[in-house]
């Protein structure tokens, strides 16, 4: 299993985004600034289903992903 997820970033360049990863219970596991990137490290997450949110001042993107070991 890959420890990196790739994001197709359609937000404007040079804009910092807040990235939040939650588990299925809604608990926030990771929150960090995401700046002009397209890869997020997930090697520290256990197998399971996760929700991800990327947002800036004007818009937000929501997604989900599964980690399988």
């Amino acid at each position: 299993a890959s420890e990196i997820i790739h994001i197709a970033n359609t937000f404007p360049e040079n804009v910092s985004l807040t990235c939040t990863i939650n588990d299925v219970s809604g608990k926030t596991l990771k929150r960090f600034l995401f700046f002009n990137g397209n890869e997020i490290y997930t090697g520290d997450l256990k197998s399971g289903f996760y929700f991800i949110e990327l947002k800036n001042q004007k818009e937000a993107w929501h997604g989900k992903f599964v980690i399988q070991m």
Side-chain angles (χ1 to χ4, degrees), residues 13-65:
E13 288 189 30
N14 299 320
V15 173
S16 64
L17 305 171
T18 301
C19 178
T20 305
I21 297 177
N22 297 325
D23 65 13
V24 293
S25 72
K27 179 181 177 184
T28 298
L29 302 176
K30 297 176 94 171
R31 179 176 286 138
F32 55 92
L33 287 179
F34 189 73
F35 189 78
N36 282 348
N38 64 354
E39 295 181 345
I40 296 174
Y41 178 72
T42 59
D44 53 345
L45 299 174
K46 297 179 181 178
S47 293
F49 190 82
Y50 297 92
F51 296 97
I52 185 170
E53 176 186 64
L54 294 172
K55 67 178 180 178
N56 63 18
Q57 299 286 339
K58 298 179 182 178
E59 56 189 327
W61 175 85
H62 298 87
K64 52 192 169 189
F65 63 95

Side-chain angles (χ1 to χ4, degrees), residues 1-7 38-43 67:
S2 176
E3 294 183 342
I4 301 287
I5 58 173
H6 298 274
I7 302 293
N38 64 354
E39 295 181 345
I40 296 174
Y41 178 72
T42 59
I67 302 285

